[in-house]
């Protein structure tokens, strides 16, 4: 009840804070302010102007003192009248035809007339100590312009350049009237922000040289001082917020997440708005399992195999467009962006930590950029021990008599993990970049589970008897993963036009041995009656190959065309050999329970996408086409009906082919004003059945919970609709979204009755089927509020409902309205302390419909797809972290974090079918804490900046060559 009350208040807190901040917003615009150069005569009615209609080539009259009267001018003289104090002089000028309204060429006044673009600023940037010219300094000229669309003033960069070795710069053809700022930046130096202007008083002089100097202005030697803080052993970076929100995606900046330090990607997901994470690390996005990408590409890694300290950010894309891979239709995409730095010089970090049970982690990363090369690498090792107790109660009424089972489990897992990543960028020239990178992962896991199982046999006449089993299950698993990427990017001379191509290869291999010993007693207090032992040897291989290319062609500043193609090939193999163990300890092979499964699929895709903005209305239209096919074989043994008592080898095969599937997308955006916008989007997407869902192998490792895939599954298709509203006010953001997803041929879990081929007994098998359809709908509210300079708050409230329509003969859980709340708050405490608290709560919920096992969710327990016959009970918890930074430059930090402080987070699931009712409760690592040390270092070498392109548009530098998230 306390948890329910907390989360009930959390929802209201989101609404109250957002409403309060909105009502106190002093920055909201009432009426557009009059432009500065409309003062004086321009503020009068047309009838009061200085015979303006008869002056051919005039510019607006500028009054420094609005109390001065303005005098008429002879129409015969095409001159400017400049009123400054009591001085009024005349000077002949000509108009430039090179400019455009409101931009760099010239500047219009309220009457539509232009300021002549004849100005010239030039100068030299020098080091304050040596007085020598500075190479590679960024010089930007900013002008305040009047935007006729929004009726407001804004600063716009109208010129830009990188200085050569002598430090010279020059900007020509500038409007002589206007407010200018000269902005200088160079790494290792203090930035310079200087207000400059042309002298109108000198322009009225009778001295020709003085008149020329008024519009041809030498700014002289501008000195830049070394910034000692940036040259210390710490790399200074911009202060990003924890969460950056847009209508199409949310970006979670991991460096601001205190609790993630020393953990894995699972620990990060727990704090991200919109994401719910169960105790096994399985992730759901709006009650469906998302597709996991790493650097914009599919991955064979699970979330617990990715160190949190290697992650820069996580992008949450709820409704991807045509540019993105069409799979993952029910939920969306989680793109994990790995760290890679391109700052000249070297920088990096070292870290070490220890946890509650003696687990440890060690790691570091290093980036070195010099000349045409940028090298980056990282490595980490960790050890962790997890404990997960649980109970299961199941009533089975598959036949007479009924069976009632009560099972108490104690599970412990000890894992070791190593991660390494290495790569480099090669800047061939200013417009071409080549990147190569690779990742190696190695790990071992040794979980074991001790179970006490009591089983009662219930007869119709009321008689019952009991049996008791002690079961010990030990598993030893070793996994290895290696992946590599080659990429190329070419920037064309026109800003925004580029072509990229890349190829990715990933190969994972897992080998495991599972041993299960069962000790059976006829009654709980009786003597041992029998012993049963079994062993399963498994090996799995997963190979993923992708290649793609993308081209972006901007027609104008606001419109562009994008197109690309992609091929993805996946090969999976799974060998399972099942053995029983005789009294002498010898393994006896059981061919009826063994199999060798191989699977191949491929997807060919192409897309085209056009976007444009007209006034305050923007749109993006896209179409993606995909050709997909898969083929699988399963080698197994079965009883030979022609030779009783003998077996025959069988090879079963299955395949499916979809020649062309089309996936349209529509995104419409209307900007209401500078602070508010609304968006509507529609997409069609697909979820193909995964390897585990298709595998026909029956897993007998747990004789009481058998599972198997279904090779006859078809892909599921989802139509998604979403409408969003976003409000930015002061330093706060509010985002609300209404969404609806309708899925046909939904892939969902299903329980069926079968016969064990070894014992001929009736058993229940958990498998998958294609249900008729399902829907998910809801309302999501997200608020990010900077309440004070020391207190930030992010709140998330999601109301949703879902329903699976599996068919008349299959009972399903009824639809119900559920809700999910999450609060993440950060306090900056004096003495360099920072406190972060995160709380979440999930109400009673129908089990998530849909999802593709193996490609989404990404938790330690694998993805649990939707179940047409179950629901989960309420759960929630609170996490906290405290960080201390030291010394004065904050290069080092100590972080103490604790998960599930009140030991309330659990997995509490009911599954009801026509054969059984089951209730399972499990916990994992309640009140788990960790202490982490981090140290950042770096050094800027100014000599490394001499290879800077000397071009005005610095946005075309190779700072955008990271792998794009697409396809």
């Amino acid at each position: 009840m306390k948890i329910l009350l907390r989360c009930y208040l959390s929802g209201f807190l989101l609404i109250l804070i957002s409403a309060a901040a909105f009502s106190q917003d002093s920055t909201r615009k009432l009426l557009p302010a009059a432009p500065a150069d409309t003062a004086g005569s321009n503020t009068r009615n047309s009838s009061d102007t200085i015979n303006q209609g008869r002056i051919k080539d005039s510019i607006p009259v500028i009054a420094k003192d609005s109390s001065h009267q303005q005098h008429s001018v002879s129409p015969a003289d095409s001159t400017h009248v400049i009123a400054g104090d009591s001085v009024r002089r005349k000077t002949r000028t000509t108009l430039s035809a090179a400019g455009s309204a409101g931009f760099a060429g010239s500047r219009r006044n309220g009457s539509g007339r232009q300021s002549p673009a004849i100005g010239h600023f030039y100068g030299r940037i020098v080091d304050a100590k040596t007085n020598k010219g500075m190479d590679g300094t960024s010089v930007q000229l900013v002008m305040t312009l009047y935007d006729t669309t929004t009726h407001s003033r804004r600063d716009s960069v109208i010129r830009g350049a990188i200085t050569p070795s002598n430090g010279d710069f020059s900007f020509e053809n500038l409007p002589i009237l206007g407010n200018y700022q000269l902005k200088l930046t160079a790494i290792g130096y203090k930035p310079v922000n200087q207000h400059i202007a042309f002298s109108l008083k000198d322009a009225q002089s009778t001295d020709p040289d003085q008149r020329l100097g008024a519009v041809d202005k030498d700014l002289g030697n501008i000195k830049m001082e070394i910034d000692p803080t940036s040259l210390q052993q710490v790399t200074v970076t911009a202060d990003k917020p924890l969460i950056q929100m847009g209508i199409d995606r949310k970006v979670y900046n991991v460096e601001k997440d205190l609790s993630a330090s020393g953990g894995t990607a699972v620990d990060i997901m727990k704090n991200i708005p919109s994401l719910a994470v169960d105790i096994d690390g399985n992730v759901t996005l709006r009650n469906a399992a998302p597709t996991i990408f790493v650097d914009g590409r599919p991955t064979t890694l699970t979330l617990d195999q990715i160190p949190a300290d290697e992650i820069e950010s996580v992008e949450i894309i709820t409704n991807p467009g045509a540019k993105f891979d069409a799979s993952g239709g029910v939920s969306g995409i989680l793109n994990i962006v790995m760290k890679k730095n391109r700052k000249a010089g070297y920088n990096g970090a070292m870290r070490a930590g220890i946890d509650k049970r003696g687990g440890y982690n060690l790691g570091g990363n290093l980036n070195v950029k010099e000349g045409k090369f940028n090298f980056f690498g990282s490595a980490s090792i960790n050890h962790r021990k997890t404990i997960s107790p649980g109970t299961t109660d199941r009533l089975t009424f598959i036949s007479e008599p009924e069976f009632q089972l009560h099972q108490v489990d104690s599970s412990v897992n000890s894992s070791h993990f190593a991660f390494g990543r290495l790569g480099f960028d090669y800047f061939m020239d200013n417009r071409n970049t080549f990147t190569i990178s690779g990742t190696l992962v190695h790990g071992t896991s040794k979980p074991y589970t001790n179970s006490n199982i009591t089983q009662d046999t219930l007869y119709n006449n009321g008689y019952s008897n009991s049996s008791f089993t002690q079961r010990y299950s030990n598993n030893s698993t070793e996994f290895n993963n290696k992946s590599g990427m080659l990429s190329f990017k070419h920037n064309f001379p026109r800003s925004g036009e580029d072509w990229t191509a890349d190829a990715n290869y990933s190969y994972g291999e897992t080998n495991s041995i599972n041993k299960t010993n069962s000790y059976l007693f006829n009654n709980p207090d009786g003597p041992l009656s029998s012993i049963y032992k079994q062993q399963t040897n498994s090996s799995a291989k997963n190979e993923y190959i992708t290649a793609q290319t993308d081209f972006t062609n901007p027609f104008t500043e606001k419109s562009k065309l994008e197109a690309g193609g992609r091929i993805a090939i996946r090969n999976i193999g799974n060998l399972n050999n099942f053995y029983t163990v005789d009294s002498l300890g010898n393994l006896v092979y059981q061919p009826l329970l063994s199999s060798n499964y191989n699977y191949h699929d491929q997807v060919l895709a192409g897309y085209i996408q056009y976007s444009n903005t007209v006034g305050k209305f923007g749109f993006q239209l896209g179409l993606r086409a995909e050709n997909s096919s898969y083929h699988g074989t399963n080698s197994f043994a079965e009883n030979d009906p022609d030779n009783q008592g003998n077996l025959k080898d069988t090879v079963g095969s299955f395949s499916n082919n979809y020649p062309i599937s089309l996936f349209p997308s529509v995104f419409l955006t209307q900007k209401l004003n500078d602070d508010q916008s609304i968006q509507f989007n529609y997409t069609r997407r697909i979820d193909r059945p995964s390897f585990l869902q298709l595998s026909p192998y029956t897993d007998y490792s747990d004789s009481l919970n058998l599972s198997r895939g279904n090779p006859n599954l078809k892909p599921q298709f989802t139509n998604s609709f979403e409408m969003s509203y976003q409000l930015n006010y002061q330093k706060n953001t509010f985002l609300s979204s209404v969404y609806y997803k309708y899925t046909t041929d939904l892939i969902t879990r299903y329980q069926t009755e079968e016969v064990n081929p070894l014992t001929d007994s009736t058993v229940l098998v958990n498998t998958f089927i294609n249900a008729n359809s399902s829907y998910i709908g809801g309302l999501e509210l997200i608020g990010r509020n900077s309440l004070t300079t020391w207190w930030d708050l992010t709140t998330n409230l999601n109301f949703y409902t879902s329903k699976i329509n599996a068919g008349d003969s299959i009972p399903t859980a009824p639809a119900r309205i559920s809700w999910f709340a999450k609060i993440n708050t950060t306090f900056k405490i004096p003495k360099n302390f920072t406190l972060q608290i995160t709380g979440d709560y999930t109400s009673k919920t129908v089990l998530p419909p849909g999802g593709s096992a193996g490609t989404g969710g990404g938790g330690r327990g694998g993805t649990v797809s939707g179940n047409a016959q179950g629901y989960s009970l309420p759960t929630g918890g609170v996490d906290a972290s405290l960080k201390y930074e030291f010394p004065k430059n904050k290069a080092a930090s100590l972080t103490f974090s604790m998960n599930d402080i009140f030991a309330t987070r659990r997995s509490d699931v009911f599954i009801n079918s026509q054969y059984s009712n089951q209730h399972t409760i499990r916990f994992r690592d309640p009140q788990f804490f960790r202490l982490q040390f981090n140290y950042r270092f770096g050094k800027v070498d100014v000599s490394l900046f001499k290879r800077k392109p000397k071009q005005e548009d610095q946005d075309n530098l190779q700072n955008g060559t990271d792998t794009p998230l697409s396809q």
Side-chain angles (χ1 to χ4, degrees):
M1 187 65 187
K2 291 182 179 179
I3 297 177
L4 180 62
L5 181 59
R6 284 194 209 101
C7 298
Y8 179 77
L9 294 175
S10 302
F12 277 98
L13 182 60
L14 167 67
I15 299 170
L16 291 175
I17 291 175
S18 300
F22 181 83
S23 64
Q24 296 174 8
D25 184 8
S26 61
T27 64
R28 302 178 62 80
K29 302 175 181 60
L30 300 177
L31 291 174
D37 53 342
T38 60
S41 65
N42 288 332
T43 61
R44 301 171 181 261
N45 295 329
S46 59
S47 59
D48 297 329
T49 58
I50 315 171
N51 295 324
Q52 201 166 9
R54 294 180 292 165
I55 301 176
K56 301 296 183 183
D57 296 326
S58 67
I59 60 175
V61 177
I62 306 298
K64 289 186 178 179
D65 187 347
S66 60
S67 64
H68 290 316
Q69 281 190 327
Q70 290 141 8
H71 301 270
S72 60
V73 183
S74 172
D77 194 5
S78 176
T79 60
H80 300 279
V81 178
I82 302 176
D85 296 330
S86 60
V87 180
R88 292 177 297 278
R89 295 187 177 92
K90 302 177 183 179
T91 177
R92 175 81 60 181
T93 63
T94 58
L95 289 175
S96 168
S100 61
F103 255 92
S106 58
R107 179 167 154 236
R108 293 181 182 273
N109 63 15
S111 305
R113 301 188 182 275
Q114 297 181 329
S115 166
I118 58 175
H120 180 200
F121 286 133
Y122 58 97
R124 174 173 293 180
I125 313 300
V126 298
D127 185 286
K129 286 188 176 182
T130 66
N131 270 335
K132 291 183 178 180
M134 290 179 53
D135 181 15
T137 302
S138 171
V139 185
Q140 290 185 332
L141 187 63
V142 178
M143 184 179 186
T144 303
L145 303 174
Y146 180 71
D147 192 330
T148 57
T149 303
T150 61
H151 301 290
S152 62
R153 289 193 167 275
R154 60 183 177 86
D155 290 338
S156 178
V157 177
I158 63 170
R159 294 288 193 277
I162 302 295
T163 59
S165 57
N166 61 3
D168 286 351
F169 68 93
S170 175
F171 301 133
E172 298 180 334
N173 299 323
L174 301 173
I176 63 172
L177 293 177
N179 299 316
Y180 291 96
Q181 292 182 61
L182 188 69
K183 294 187 176 182
L184 310 178
T185 56
I187 297 181
Y189 289 82
K190 295 179 180 179
V192 174
N193 192 352
Q194 180 177 322
H195 290 273
I196 57 176
F198 295 103
S199 175
L200 299 180
K201 196 174 286 188
D202 290 343
Q204 303 162 26
S205 172
T206 57
D207 185 348
D209 293 333
Q210 195 171 357
R211 288 201 303 269
L212 177 62
V215 295
D216 193 71
K217 190 166 186 177
D218 184 358
L219 301 178
N221 289 348
I222 303 175
K223 297 182 178 182
M224 297 190 71
E225 298 179 350
I226 294 176
D227 186 356
T229 60
S230 67
L231 292 179
Q232 292 177 356
Q233 298 297 310
V234 180
T235 300
V236 179
T237 58
D239 189 23
K240 295 180 181 178
L242 179 65
I243 300 171
Q244 295 171 285
M245 292 197 298
I247 291 183
D248 64 332
R249 72 181 65 187
K250 295 178 282 289
V251 179
Y252 189 83
N253 295 306
V254 176
E255 65 183 44
K256 294 297 180 180
D257 187 348
L258 307 187
S259 63
S261 182
T264 68
V266 173
D267 299 296
I268 295 174
M269 303 302 165
K270 293 178 181 178
N271 294 330
I272 300 179
S274 304
L275 300 185
V277 183
D278 67 17
I279 64 170
D280 292 316
N282 298 305
V283 178
T284 55
L285 171 61
R286 293 179 176 176
N287 205 35
T291 300
I292 307 297
F293 280 5
V294 173
D295 285 334
R297 301 293 179 266
T299 180
T300 57
L301 296 174
T302 59
L303 292 178
D304 64 325
Q305 295 174 351
I306 305 175
D309 295 288
E310 303 294 338
I311 300 174
E312 178 177 321
S313 62
V314 178
E315 298 176 339
I316 307 98
I317 307 172
T318 56
N319 205 10
K323 188 175 181 179
F324 302 94
D325 191 355
S327 61
V330 176
S331 56
I333 292 174
L334 293 184
N335 181 48
I336 297 174
V337 180
M338 306 298 286
K339 287 181 178 177
K340 185 171 68 170
N341 202 322
R342 286 192 172 132
K343 293 180 180 178
Y346 71 86
N347 57 81
M350 297 183 296
R351 56 188 177 273
I354 190 169
D355 64 32
K356 174 182 179 180
R357 300 193 179 95
Y360 60 85
N361 70 86
L362 297 169
N365 58 274
L366 178 66
N367 184 90
V368 179
K369 181 180 179 183
E370 184 169 4
K372 292 188 175 184
F373 288 92
N374 177 57
F375 297 92
F376 53 91
S378 60
S380 64
I381 59 172
N382 69 55
H383 164 61
R384 183 170 180 176
K385 181 180 180 181
T386 62
I387 297 177
S388 177
T391 61
T392 299
D393 291 284
R394 180 167 65 230
L395 176 63
T396 304
F397 35 84
I398 189 172
S399 62
E400 175 65 25
E402 297 179 350
F403 297 94
Q404 184 169 318
L405 176 143
H406 176 71
Q407 178 175 326
V408 179
D409 297 320
S410 176
S411 299
V412 178
N413 182 24
S414 177
S415 61
H416 292 79
F417 177 79
F419 178 95
R421 184 167 176 260
L422 188 66
F424 70 88
D425 302 306
Y426 173 54
F427 305 101
M428 292 178 279
D429 53 40
N430 292 343
R431 302 193 182 279
N432 297 283
T433 301
F434 174 78
T435 301
I436 181 172
S437 64
T439 301
L440 291 176
V441 178
H442 171 75
T444 60
S445 177
K446 295 183 178 180
Y448 65 88
T449 302
N450 297 335
S451 304
N452 292 328
I453 304 169
T454 303
Q455 184 165 295
D456 296 325
T457 305
L458 308 177
Y459 297 89
N460 284 336
N461 58 11
Y463 174 75
S464 65
N465 60 14
S466 299
S467 64
F468 179 72
T469 301
Q470 286 184 330
R471 188 178 66 190
Y472 303 94
S473 177
N474 296 278
N475 189 290
S476 178
T477 300
E478 179 181 4
F479 62 87
N480 294 279
N481 183 279
K482 53 188 176 183
S483 61
M485 183 194 74
L486 296 172
S487 69
F488 172 77
K489 180 172 184 178
H490 173 73
N491 287 325
F492 293 90
R494 182 168 50 173
S495 177
E497 184 178 4
D498 60 62
W499 171 63
T500 62
D502 63 75
N504 298 264
Y505 177 80
S506 178
Y507 179 82
E509 188 174 50
T510 302
N511 297 287
S512 65
I513 298 175
N514 180 274
K515 298 179 180 180
T516 302
N517 300 333
S518 299
Y519 299 87
L520 285 73
F521 302 81
N522 288 332
N523 59 75
D525 298 322
L528 179 67
S529 60
S530 62
I531 300 176
Y532 176 76
K533 298 182 179 181
Q534 68 181 43
Q535 178 174 317
T536 303
N537 296 346
S538 301
S539 64
K541 298 178 180 180
N542 190 342
E543 183 181 51
Y544 214 140
I545 305 169
T546 62
Q548 70 182 63
T549 181
D550 301 274
F551 175 70
T552 302
N553 182 23
F555 296 127
T556 65
E557 185 179 345
K558 297 183 178 180
S559 68
K560 65 179 178 179
L561 181 69
E562 299 171 272
R566 177 177 185 261
I567 180 172
I569 299 174
R570 184 171 53 173
N571 297 301
I572 299 177
N574 196 321
L575 175 64
N576 292 279
N577 291 326
F578 188 87
Y579 303 87
T580 56
V581 184
D582 62 20
S583 58
L584 299 177
N586 298 315
L587 297 178
V588 180
Y589 180 60
Q590 301 296 333
L592 290 174
L593 305 181
S594 305
S595 74
N596 185 8
Y597 174 56
N598 291 280
Y599 170 82
H600 167 87
D601 72 5
Q602 69 177 32
V603 179
L604 302 175
Y607 75 92
I608 186 169
Q609 183 170 278
Y610 175 74
S611 58
N612 199 355
T613 301
V614 181
K616 294 185 178 182
F617 176 74
F619 64 89
Q620 176 182 289
L621 306 176
L623 181 65
R624 186 180 185 88
E626 292 192 351
N627 170 282
S628 61
S629 63
Y630 58 82
H631 174 76
T633 60
N634 185 39
S635 302
F636 60 96
E638 62 180 353
N639 291 313
D640 189 350
D642 299 328
N643 297 287
Q644 290 292 331
N646 294 323
L647 304 177
K648 67 175 183 178
D649 293 329
T650 303
V651 178
S653 63
F654 57 91
S655 62
N656 213 330
N657 182 52
Y658 287 83
I660 291 291
S661 297
L662 298 178
F663 304 96
S665 64
V666 178
F667 288 77
L668 307 176
T669 303
Q670 178 66 46
K671 192 173 182 180
L672 303 179
N673 51 42
D674 288 343
D675 301 325
Q676 301 180 72
S677 61
I678 58 174
Q679 185 191 68
F680 170 81
N681 58 64
Y682 161 78
T683 63
R684 182 176 188 257
R685 297 176 63 78
I686 188 175
D687 275 298
R688 299 177 180 88
S690 70
F691 160 74
L692 292 177
Q693 292 173 328
L694 290 170
S695 173
Y697 168 70
T698 303
D699 182 4
Y700 288 92
S701 59
D702 184 351
S703 60
L704 300 176
N705 289 284
L706 308 183
S707 61
R708 185 184 61 242
N710 178 3
N712 297 315
L713 288 176
K714 300 180 294 183
Q716 63 185 33
F717 291 87
T718 301
N719 291 280
S720 300
F721 305 84
E722 184 170 344
M723 178 169 284
S724 302
Y725 167 78
Q726 180 166 329
L727 170 66
N728 298 310
Y729 49 101
Q730 297 177 350
K731 294 183 179 180
N732 306 290
T733 302
F734 173 73
L735 177 67
S736 64
S737 302
V738 178
Y739 57 92
Y740 177 80
K741 300 174 183 285
Y742 180 79
T743 302
T744 57
D745 293 322
L746 176 82
I747 299 172
T748 185
R749 283 193 180 273
Y750 178 68
Q751 194 175 74
T752 183
E753 174 188 356
E754 295 188 8
V755 175
N756 187 320
L758 192 63
T759 63
D760 290 331
S761 60
T762 302
V763 293
L764 294 178
V765 177
N766 296 295
T767 184
F768 300 90
I769 62 169
N770 282 110
N772 292 341
S773 63
S774 76
Y775 68 82
I776 299 175
L779 167 66
E780 183 176 51
L781 307 174
I782 299 177
R784 184 172 66 83
N785 303 89
S786 296
L787 303 180
T788 67
T789 57
W790 50 268
W791 184 12
D792 290 333
L793 178 68
T794 300
T795 49
N796 175 213
L797 194 60
N798 186 13
F799 298 93
Y800 57 91
T801 183
S802 61
K803 181 71 170 67
I804 300 175
N805 302 309
D808 296 335
S809 61
I810 302 175
T812 60
R816 64 177 297 114
I817 296 178
S818 305
W819 62 281
F820 167 77
K822 180 179 288 188
I823 292 181
N824 188 308
T825 184
T826 302
F827 303 90
K828 293 182 179 179
I829 306 174
K831 305 295 183 181
N832 293 339
F833 281 95
T834 304
L835 175 65
Q836 178 178 298
I837 300 174
T838 302
D840 63 84
Y841 178 83
T842 304
S843 69
K844 181 178 179 180
T845 305
V846 175
L847 291 182
S852 297
T855 60
R860 292 181 289 267
T863 298
V864 178
S865 285
N867 195 308
Q869 303 158 303
Y871 57 90
S872 61
L873 291 178
T875 184
V878 176
D879 307 326
S881 298
L882 181 65
K883 181 179 181 179
Y884 171 64
E885 296 176 291
F886 63 97
K888 290 184 178 180
N889 58 15
K890 299 183 180 180
S893 66
L894 276 174
T895 304
F896 178 81
S897 58
M898 187 170 185
N899 297 333
D900 197 11
I901 296 175
F902 303 107
T904 54
R905 197 171 280 134
R906 66 173 73 184
S907 172
D908 194 348
V909 176
F910 272 94
I911 297 178
N912 304 318
S913 74
Q914 63 190 90
Y915 305 112
S916 67
N917 295 328
Q918 178 173 301
H919 180 206
T920 302
I921 301 177
R922 293 175 52 248
F923 299 84
R924 181 186 288 269
D925 293 333
Q927 298 176 331
F928 185 84
F929 59 82
R930 180 171 56 242
L931 181 64
Q932 187 76 15
F933 169 77
N934 286 270
Y935 176 72
R936 296 176 292 116
F937 61 90
K939 184 176 182 180
V940 176
D941 186 352
V942 179
S943 66
L944 301 180
F945 294 89
K946 294 185 178 179
R947 192 201 142 271
K948 289 275 189 175
K950 300 171 178 60
Q951 57 185 39
E952 290 192 353
D953 188 1
Q954 194 177 7
D955 291 337
N956 286 338
L957 295 177
Q958 307 297 320
N959 57 5
T961 54
D962 290 328
T963 304
L965 172 60
S966 61
Q967 302 191 40

